[in-house]
mmCIF file of all heavy atoms in Angstrom:
data_model
loop_
_atom_site.group_PDB
_atom_site.id
_atom_site.type_symbol
_atom_site.label_atom_id
_atom_site.label_comp_id
_atom_site.label_asym_id
_atom_site.label_seq_id
_atom_site.Cartn_x
_atom_site.Cartn_y
_atom_site.Cartn_z
ATOM 1 N N LYS D 1 73.414 -84.666 13.645
ATOM 2 C CA LYS D 1 72.199 -84.034 13.122
ATOM 3 C C LYS D 1 72.535 -82.661 12.573
ATOM 4 O O LYS D 1 73.521 -82.030 12.966
ATOM 5 C CB LYS D 1 71.145 -83.900 14.225
ATOM 6 C CG LYS D 1 70.679 -85.235 14.787
ATOM 7 C CD LYS D 1 69.727 -85.035 15.949
ATOM 8 C CE LYS D 1 69.296 -86.394 16.516
ATOM 9 N NZ LYS D 1 68.420 -86.232 17.702
ATOM 10 N N SER D 2 71.680 -82.191 11.671
ATOM 11 C CA SER D 2 71.768 -80.816 11.178
ATOM 12 C C SER D 2 70.463 -80.104 11.498
ATOM 13 O O SER D 2 69.386 -80.690 11.384
ATOM 14 C CB SER D 2 72.029 -80.798 9.668
ATOM 15 O OG SER D 2 70.980 -81.438 8.968
ATOM 16 N N THR D 3 70.573 -78.883 11.905
ATOM 17 C CA THR D 3 69.393 -78.124 12.324
ATOM 18 C C THR D 3 68.931 -77.189 11.211
ATOM 19 O O THR D 3 69.743 -76.523 10.565
ATOM 20 C CB THR D 3 69.715 -77.295 13.589
ATOM 21 O OG1 THR D 3 70.118 -78.172 14.626
ATOM 22 C CG2 THR D 3 68.478 -76.522 14.050
ATOM 23 N N LYS D 4 67.624 -77.185 10.977
ATOM 24 C CA LYS D 4 67.069 -76.224 10.029
ATOM 25 C C LYS D 4 65.747 -75.697 10.567
ATOM 26 O O LYS D 4 65.055 -76.367 11.340
ATOM 27 C CB LYS D 4 66.886 -76.843 8.649
ATOM 28 C CG LYS D 4 65.948 -78.031 8.549
ATOM 29 C CD LYS D 4 65.906 -78.519 7.100
ATOM 30 C CE LYS D 4 65.026 -79.745 6.925
ATOM 31 N NZ LYS D 4 64.983 -80.193 5.513
ATOM 32 N N THR D 5 65.413 -74.495 10.170
ATOM 33 C CA THR D 5 64.180 -73.851 10.624
ATOM 34 C C THR D 5 63.040 -74.223 9.688
ATOM 35 O O THR D 5 63.150 -74.071 8.468
ATOM 36 C CB THR D 5 64.345 -72.326 10.664
ATOM 37 O OG1 THR D 5 65.406 -72.001 11.556
ATOM 38 C CG2 THR D 5 63.055 -71.657 11.142
ATOM 39 N N MET D 6 61.961 -74.725 10.284
ATOM 40 C CA MET D 6 60.819 -75.190 9.514
ATOM 41 C C MET D 6 59.655 -74.207 9.627
ATOM 42 O O MET D 6 59.445 -73.587 10.681
ATOM 43 C CB MET D 6 60.360 -76.558 10.013
ATOM 44 C CG MET D 6 61.449 -77.621 10.031
ATOM 45 S SD MET D 6 62.159 -77.933 8.401
ATOM 46 C CE MET D 6 60.700 -78.475 7.499
ATOM 47 N N LYS D 7 58.908 -74.106 8.542
ATOM 48 C CA LYS D 7 57.693 -73.293 8.523
ATOM 49 C C LYS D 7 56.490 -74.221 8.618
ATOM 50 O O LYS D 7 56.394 -75.206 7.898
ATOM 51 C CB LYS D 7 57.608 -72.481 7.241
ATOM 52 C CG LYS D 7 56.318 -71.671 7.086
ATOM 53 C CD LYS D 7 56.260 -71.004 5.729
ATOM 54 C CE LYS D 7 54.932 -70.281 5.522
ATOM 55 N NZ LYS D 7 54.824 -69.688 4.182
ATOM 56 N N SER D 8 55.555 -73.914 9.534
ATOM 57 C CA SER D 8 54.314 -74.680 9.643
ATOM 58 C C SER D 8 53.164 -73.713 9.835
ATOM 59 O O SER D 8 53.375 -72.508 10.048
ATOM 60 C CB SER D 8 54.376 -75.660 10.827
ATOM 61 O OG SER D 8 54.099 -75.000 12.042
ATOM 62 N N ASN D 9 51.955 -74.224 9.783
ATOM 63 C CA ASN D 9 50.793 -73.364 10.015
ATOM 64 C C ASN D 9 50.720 -72.875 11.445
ATOM 65 O O ASN D 9 49.963 -71.950 11.756
ATOM 66 C CB ASN D 9 49.511 -74.118 9.657
ATOM 67 C CG ASN D 9 49.385 -74.341 8.158
ATOM 68 O OD1 ASN D 9 49.900 -73.558 7.377
ATOM 69 N ND2 ASN D 9 48.727 -75.417 7.764
ATOM 70 N N LEU D 10 51.478 -73.521 12.337
ATOM 71 C CA LEU D 10 51.524 -73.088 13.737
ATOM 72 C C LEU D 10 52.634 -72.080 13.986
ATOM 73 O O LEU D 10 52.714 -71.505 15.061
ATOM 74 C CB LEU D 10 51.716 -74.304 14.651
ATOM 75 C CG LEU D 10 50.521 -75.250 14.767
ATOM 76 C CD1 LEU D 10 50.946 -76.561 15.428
ATOM 77 C CD2 LEU D 10 49.387 -74.615 15.537
ATOM 78 N N GLY D 11 53.528 -71.891 13.002
ATOM 79 C CA GLY D 11 54.638 -70.962 13.166
ATOM 80 C C GLY D 11 55.963 -71.633 12.832
ATOM 81 O O GLY D 11 56.017 -72.766 12.348
ATOM 82 N N LEU D 12 57.078 -70.913 13.073
ATOM 83 C CA LEU D 12 58.416 -71.427 12.795
ATOM 84 C C LEU D 12 58.941 -72.232 13.975
ATOM 85 O O LEU D 12 58.677 -71.912 15.134
ATOM 86 C CB LEU D 12 59.370 -70.265 12.495
ATOM 87 C CG LEU D 12 59.008 -69.363 11.305
ATOM 88 C CD1 LEU D 12 59.991 -68.197 11.218
ATOM 89 C CD2 LEU D 12 58.994 -70.141 10.000
ATOM 90 N N PHE D 13 59.710 -73.284 13.671
ATOM 91 C CA PHE D 13 60.368 -74.043 14.739
ATOM 92 C C PHE D 13 61.612 -74.723 14.159
ATOM 93 O O PHE D 13 61.722 -74.908 12.945
ATOM 94 C CB PHE D 13 59.432 -75.081 15.357
ATOM 95 C CG PHE D 13 58.944 -76.139 14.403
ATOM 96 C CD1 PHE D 13 59.665 -77.317 14.212
ATOM 97 C CD2 PHE D 13 57.768 -75.954 13.683
ATOM 98 C CE1 PHE D 13 59.214 -78.283 13.320
ATOM 99 C CE2 PHE D 13 57.329 -76.925 12.785
ATOM 100 C CZ PHE D 13 58.049 -78.090 12.604
ATOM 101 N N ASP D 14 62.550 -75.065 15.044
ATOM 102 C CA ASP D 14 63.782 -75.732 14.619
ATOM 103 C C ASP D 14 63.612 -77.242 14.646
ATOM 104 O O ASP D 14 62.968 -77.795 15.544
ATOM 105 C CB ASP D 14 64.944 -75.336 15.536
ATOM 106 C CG ASP D 14 65.379 -73.890 15.321
ATOM 107 O OD1 ASP D 14 65.156 -73.377 14.203
ATOM 108 O OD2 ASP D 14 65.922 -73.279 16.263
ATOM 109 N N LEU D 15 64.194 -77.893 13.640
ATOM 110 C CA LEU D 15 64.118 -79.344 13.526
ATOM 111 C C LEU D 15 65.531 -79.895 13.336
ATOM 112 O O LEU D 15 66.287 -79.404 12.500
ATOM 113 C CB LEU D 15 63.240 -79.721 12.326
ATOM 114 C CG LEU D 15 62.878 -81.187 12.156
ATOM 115 C CD1 LEU D 15 61.983 -81.665 13.304
ATOM 116 C CD2 LEU D 15 62.157 -81.403 10.826
ATOM 117 N N ASP D 16 65.887 -80.891 14.147
ATOM 118 C CA ASP D 16 67.196 -81.540 14.042
ATOM 119 C C ASP D 16 67.073 -82.764 13.151
ATOM 120 O O ASP D 16 66.491 -83.786 13.549
ATOM 121 C CB ASP D 16 67.711 -81.940 15.427
ATOM 122 C CG ASP D 16 67.967 -80.728 16.312
ATOM 123 O OD1 ASP D 16 68.408 -79.698 15.769
ATOM 124 O OD2 ASP D 16 67.725 -80.814 17.527
ATOM 125 N N VAL D 17 67.616 -82.684 11.954
ATOM 126 C CA VAL D 17 67.490 -83.764 10.972
ATOM 127 C C VAL D 17 68.667 -84.730 11.134
ATOM 128 O O VAL D 17 69.830 -84.322 11.006
ATOM 129 C CB VAL D 17 67.468 -83.208 9.535
ATOM 130 C CG1 VAL D 17 67.296 -84.338 8.528
ATOM 131 C CG2 VAL D 17 66.358 -82.178 9.389
ATOM 132 N N PRO D 18 68.386 -85.997 11.435
ATOM 133 C CA PRO D 18 69.485 -86.963 11.595
ATOM 134 C C PRO D 18 70.217 -87.218 10.276
ATOM 135 O O PRO D 18 69.610 -87.180 9.201
ATOM 136 C CB PRO D 18 68.766 -88.223 12.101
ATOM 137 C CG PRO D 18 67.354 -88.083 11.672
ATOM 138 C CD PRO D 18 67.066 -86.619 11.653
ATOM 139 N N ARG D 19 71.544 -87.497 10.387
ATOM 140 C CA ARG D 19 72.358 -87.789 9.216
ATOM 141 C C ARG D 19 73.002 -89.163 9.375
ATOM 142 O O ARG D 19 73.165 -89.657 10.487
ATOM 143 C CB ARG D 19 73.452 -86.730 9.048
ATOM 144 C CG ARG D 19 72.926 -85.321 8.833
ATOM 145 C CD ARG D 19 74.060 -84.325 8.717
ATOM 146 N NE ARG D 19 74.885 -84.298 9.928
ATOM 147 C CZ ARG D 19 75.816 -83.389 10.186
ATOM 148 N NH1 ARG D 19 76.044 -82.417 9.307
ATOM 149 N NH2 ARG D 19 76.519 -83.434 11.288
ATOM 150 N N ASP D 20 73.374 -89.761 8.260
ATOM 151 C CA ASP D 20 74.121 -91.019 8.294
ATOM 152 C C ASP D 20 75.474 -90.802 7.628
ATOM 153 O O ASP D 20 75.661 -89.859 6.852
ATOM 154 C CB ASP D 20 73.338 -92.135 7.606
ATOM 155 C CG ASP D 20 73.133 -91.886 6.122
ATOM 156 O OD1 ASP D 20 72.983 -90.694 5.738
ATOM 157 O OD2 ASP D 20 73.114 -92.850 5.345
ATOM 158 N N ARG D 21 76.435 -91.661 7.955
ATOM 159 C CA ARG D 21 77.809 -91.474 7.487
ATOM 160 C C ARG D 21 77.930 -91.603 5.966
ATOM 161 O O ARG D 21 78.759 -90.935 5.349
ATOM 162 C CB ARG D 21 78.741 -92.472 8.176
ATOM 163 C CG ARG D 21 78.915 -92.160 9.663
ATOM 164 C CD ARG D 21 80.110 -92.872 10.257
ATOM 165 N NE ARG D 21 80.273 -92.514 11.660
ATOM 166 C CZ ARG D 21 80.868 -91.409 12.104
ATOM 167 N NH1 ARG D 21 81.343 -90.540 11.220
ATOM 168 N NH2 ARG D 21 80.968 -91.168 13.380
ATOM 169 N N GLU D 22 77.134 -92.446 5.379
ATOM 170 C CA GLU D 22 77.224 -92.648 3.924
ATOM 171 C C GLU D 22 76.461 -91.601 3.134
ATOM 172 O O GLU D 22 76.572 -91.528 1.905
ATOM 173 C CB GLU D 22 76.716 -94.049 3.569
ATOM 174 C CG GLU D 22 77.572 -95.174 4.125
ATOM 175 C CD GLU D 22 77.033 -96.548 3.751
ATOM 176 O OE1 GLU D 22 75.951 -96.602 3.098
ATOM 177 O OE2 GLU D 22 77.675 -97.550 4.115
ATOM 178 N N GLY D 23 75.663 -90.801 3.841
ATOM 179 C CA GLY D 23 74.887 -89.754 3.162
ATOM 180 C C GLY D 23 73.779 -90.296 2.284
ATOM 181 O O GLY D 23 73.328 -89.622 1.351
ATOM 182 N N SER D 24 73.306 -91.504 2.582
ATOM 183 C CA SER D 24 72.269 -92.141 1.744
ATOM 184 C C SER D 24 70.861 -91.982 2.314
ATOM 185 O O SER D 24 69.886 -92.400 1.680
ATOM 186 C CB SER D 24 72.583 -93.637 1.596
ATOM 187 O OG SER D 24 72.664 -94.268 2.872
ATOM 188 N N PHE D 25 70.770 -91.387 3.495
ATOM 189 C CA PHE D 25 69.450 -91.235 4.135
ATOM 190 C C PHE D 25 68.645 -90.137 3.445
ATOM 191 O O PHE D 25 69.072 -88.990 3.368
ATOM 192 C CB PHE D 25 69.628 -90.921 5.620
ATOM 193 C CG PHE D 25 68.335 -90.674 6.352
ATOM 194 C CD1 PHE D 25 67.285 -91.584 6.282
ATOM 195 C CD2 PHE D 25 68.160 -89.521 7.123
ATOM 196 C CE1 PHE D 25 66.100 -91.366 6.954
ATOM 197 C CE2 PHE D 25 66.973 -89.297 7.810
ATOM 198 C CZ PHE D 25 65.941 -90.216 7.718
ATOM 199 N N GLU D 26 67.481 -90.515 2.921
ATOM 200 C CA GLU D 26 66.565 -89.568 2.267
ATOM 201 C C GLU D 26 65.229 -89.597 3.005
ATOM 202 O O GLU D 26 64.365 -90.422 2.710
ATOM 203 C CB GLU D 26 66.355 -89.944 0.797
ATOM 204 C CG GLU D 26 67.593 -89.827 -0.073
ATOM 205 C CD GLU D 26 67.914 -88.381 -0.425
ATOM 206 O OE1 GLU D 26 67.051 -87.508 -0.159
ATOM 207 O OE2 GLU D 26 68.997 -88.130 -0.950
ATOM 208 N N PRO D 27 65.037 -88.732 3.977
ATOM 209 C CA PRO D 27 63.780 -88.761 4.752
ATOM 210 C C PRO D 27 62.573 -88.460 3.887
ATOM 211 O O PRO D 27 62.656 -87.654 2.946
ATOM 212 C CB PRO D 27 63.992 -87.682 5.820
ATOM 213 C CG PRO D 27 65.031 -86.785 5.259
ATOM 214 C CD PRO D 27 65.931 -87.650 4.415
ATOM 215 N N ALA D 28 61.450 -89.109 4.188
ATOM 216 C CA ALA D 28 60.224 -88.912 3.422
ATOM 217 C C ALA D 28 59.325 -87.857 4.043
ATOM 218 O O ALA D 28 58.686 -87.077 3.336
ATOM 219 C CB ALA D 28 59.463 -90.234 3.298
ATOM 220 N N ILE D 29 59.273 -87.836 5.373
ATOM 221 C CA ILE D 29 58.360 -86.910 6.051
ATOM 222 C C ILE D 29 58.800 -85.463 5.872
ATOM 223 O O ILE D 29 57.999 -84.575 5.637
ATOM 224 C CB ILE D 29 58.228 -87.275 7.553
ATOM 225 C CG1 ILE D 29 57.262 -86.348 8.244
ATOM 226 C CG2 ILE D 29 59.575 -87.243 8.253
ATOM 227 C CD1 ILE D 29 55.856 -86.439 7.756
ATOM 228 N N VAL D 30 60.122 -85.217 5.952
ATOM 229 C CA VAL D 30 60.675 -83.883 5.697
ATOM 230 C C VAL D 30 61.889 -84.081 4.797
ATOM 231 O O VAL D 30 62.938 -84.530 5.248
ATOM 232 C CB VAL D 30 61.090 -83.168 6.997
ATOM 233 C CG1 VAL D 30 61.664 -81.784 6.665
ATOM 234 C CG2 VAL D 30 59.914 -83.027 7.941
ATOM 235 N N LYS D 31 61.757 -83.764 3.538
ATOM 236 C CA LYS D 31 62.828 -84.024 2.575
ATOM 237 C C LYS D 31 64.024 -83.099 2.818
ATOM 238 O O LYS D 31 63.915 -82.094 3.524
ATOM 239 C CB LYS D 31 62.288 -83.880 1.156
ATOM 240 C CG LYS D 31 61.144 -84.860 0.866
ATOM 241 C CD LYS D 31 60.758 -84.861 -0.583
ATOM 242 C CE LYS D 31 59.575 -85.791 -0.832
ATOM 243 N NZ LYS D 31 59.858 -87.183 -0.425
ATOM 244 N N LYS D 32 65.156 -83.444 2.233
ATOM 245 C CA LYS D 32 66.432 -82.805 2.566
ATOM 246 C C LYS D 32 66.397 -81.277 2.475
ATOM 247 O O LYS D 32 66.898 -80.591 3.353
ATOM 248 C CB LYS D 32 67.535 -83.359 1.662
ATOM 249 C CG LYS D 32 68.125 -84.660 2.198
ATOM 250 C CD LYS D 32 69.372 -85.055 1.430
ATOM 251 C CE LYS D 32 70.030 -86.278 2.081
ATOM 252 N NZ LYS D 32 71.251 -86.697 1.350
ATOM 253 N N HIS D 33 65.839 -80.761 1.427
ATOM 254 C CA HIS D 33 65.864 -79.307 1.248
ATOM 255 C C HIS D 33 64.504 -78.660 1.550
ATOM 256 O O HIS D 33 64.286 -77.488 1.236
ATOM 257 C CB HIS D 33 66.298 -78.961 -0.170
ATOM 258 C CG HIS D 33 67.655 -79.498 -0.519
ATOM 259 N ND1 HIS D 33 68.808 -79.011 0.060
ATOM 260 C CD2 HIS D 33 68.035 -80.508 -1.354
ATOM 261 C CE1 HIS D 33 69.851 -79.687 -0.419
ATOM 262 N NE2 HIS D 33 69.403 -80.607 -1.269
ATOM 263 N N GLN D 34 63.643 -79.422 2.154
ATOM 264 C CA GLN D 34 62.308 -78.914 2.469
ATOM 265 C C GLN D 34 62.328 -78.115 3.767
ATOM 266 O O GLN D 34 62.902 -78.541 4.770
ATOM 267 C CB GLN D 34 61.322 -80.080 2.601
ATOM 268 C CG GLN D 34 59.899 -79.664 2.900
ATOM 269 C CD GLN D 34 58.981 -80.859 3.076
ATOM 270 O OE1 GLN D 34 59.372 -81.997 2.835
ATOM 271 N NE2 GLN D 34 57.761 -80.597 3.501
ATOM 272 N N THR D 35 61.683 -76.963 3.768
ATOM 273 C CA THR D 35 61.598 -76.146 4.980
ATOM 274 C C THR D 35 60.159 -75.771 5.331
ATOM 275 O O THR D 35 59.918 -74.989 6.242
ATOM 276 C CB THR D 35 62.415 -74.847 4.809
ATOM 277 O OG1 THR D 35 61.937 -74.148 3.657
ATOM 278 C CG2 THR D 35 63.899 -75.146 4.669
ATOM 279 N N ASP D 36 59.194 -76.317 4.594
ATOM 280 C CA ASP D 36 57.773 -76.026 4.850
ATOM 281 C C ASP D 36 57.037 -77.349 5.064
ATOM 282 O O ASP D 36 57.010 -78.205 4.186
ATOM 283 C CB ASP D 36 57.177 -75.271 3.660
ATOM 284 C CG ASP D 36 55.768 -74.745 3.933
ATOM 285 O OD1 ASP D 36 55.103 -75.288 4.844
ATOM 286 O OD2 ASP D 36 55.337 -73.813 3.238
ATOM 287 N N VAL D 37 56.450 -77.520 6.255
ATOM 288 C CA VAL D 37 55.733 -78.764 6.568
ATOM 289 C C VAL D 37 54.252 -78.501 6.821
ATOM 290 O O VAL D 37 53.563 -79.314 7.429
ATOM 291 C CB VAL D 37 56.352 -79.481 7.792
ATOM 292 C CG1 VAL D 37 57.718 -80.033 7.456
ATOM 293 C CG2 VAL D 37 56.407 -78.546 8.997
ATOM 294 N N SER D 38 53.770 -77.365 6.362
ATOM 295 C CA SER D 38 52.349 -77.076 6.559
ATOM 296 C C SER D 38 51.474 -78.074 5.807
ATOM 297 O O SER D 38 50.309 -78.247 6.134
ATOM 298 C CB SER D 38 52.024 -75.646 6.110
ATOM 299 O OG SER D 38 52.431 -75.430 4.780
ATOM 300 N N HIS D 39 52.066 -78.775 4.804
ATOM 301 C CA HIS D 39 51.298 -79.759 4.049
ATOM 302 C C HIS D 39 50.807 -80.885 4.936
ATOM 303 O O HIS D 39 49.726 -81.434 4.723
ATOM 304 C CB HIS D 39 52.148 -80.338 2.919
ATOM 305 C CG HIS D 39 53.210 -81.275 3.398
ATOM 306 N ND1 HIS D 39 54.368 -80.829 4.006
ATOM 307 C CD2 HIS D 39 53.277 -82.629 3.384
ATOM 308 C CE1 HIS D 39 55.108 -81.880 4.334
ATOM 309 N NE2 HIS D 39 54.480 -82.973 3.977
ATOM 310 N N LEU D 40 51.611 -81.263 5.961
ATOM 311 C CA LEU D 40 51.215 -82.360 6.829
ATOM 312 C C LEU D 40 49.984 -81.970 7.640
ATOM 313 O O LEU D 40 49.034 -82.738 7.771
ATOM 314 C CB LEU D 40 52.363 -82.751 7.763
ATOM 315 C CG LEU D 40 52.066 -83.902 8.722
ATOM 316 C CD1 LEU D 40 51.722 -85.171 7.954
ATOM 317 C CD2 LEU D 40 53.243 -84.153 9.659
ATOM 318 N N GLU D 41 50.006 -80.739 8.172
ATOM 319 C CA GLU D 41 48.842 -80.263 8.908
ATOM 320 C C GLU D 41 47.629 -80.208 7.985
ATOM 321 O O GLU D 41 46.523 -80.608 8.369
ATOM 322 C CB GLU D 41 49.125 -78.873 9.493
ATOM 323 C CG GLU D 41 50.249 -78.884 10.519
ATOM 324 C CD GLU D 41 50.674 -77.480 10.901
ATOM 325 O OE1 GLU D 41 49.994 -76.517 10.504
ATOM 326 O OE2 GLU D 41 51.698 -77.356 11.583
ATOM 327 N N SER D 42 47.837 -79.743 6.743
ATOM 328 C CA SER D 42 46.730 -79.675 5.789
ATOM 329 C C SER D 42 46.209 -81.065 5.459
ATOM 330 O O SER D 42 45.004 -81.261 5.304
ATOM 331 C CB SER D 42 47.197 -78.975 4.504
ATOM 332 O OG SER D 42 47.612 -77.645 4.777
ATOM 333 N N ALA D 43 47.136 -82.031 5.362
ATOM 334 C CA ALA D 43 46.721 -83.404 5.075
ATOM 335 C C ALA D 43 45.881 -83.963 6.213
ATOM 336 O O ALA D 43 44.862 -84.631 5.987
ATOM 337 C CB ALA D 43 47.944 -84.283 4.839
#
């Protein structure tokens, strides 16, 4: 996993993003270079 700091309406928190060996994993809920997830709370 790789750790990145996320911004949300509740504040900052660390998120461990899982990785795969082929590097083909493209998460939908939190995209690779995304660091702001306040949209989910807004949704």
Side-chain angles (χ1 to χ4, degrees):
K1 298 175 181 177
S2 61
T3 301
K4 61 181 178 179
T5 300
M6 305 300 300
K7 176 186 176 183
S8 81
N9 290 332
L10 290 167
L12 301 175
F13 62 89
D14 289 334
L15 188 66
D16 296 324
V17 182
R19 299 178 300 191
D20 64 326
R21 291 196 178 278
E22 295 180 357
S24 57
F25 177 52
E26 294 284 349
I29 182 64
V30 180
K31 300 189 183 302
K32 275 190 174 180
H33 301 291
Q34 181 182 352
T35 57
D36 189 339
V37 291
S38 55
H39 73 284
L40 180 60
E41 296 170 9
S42 299

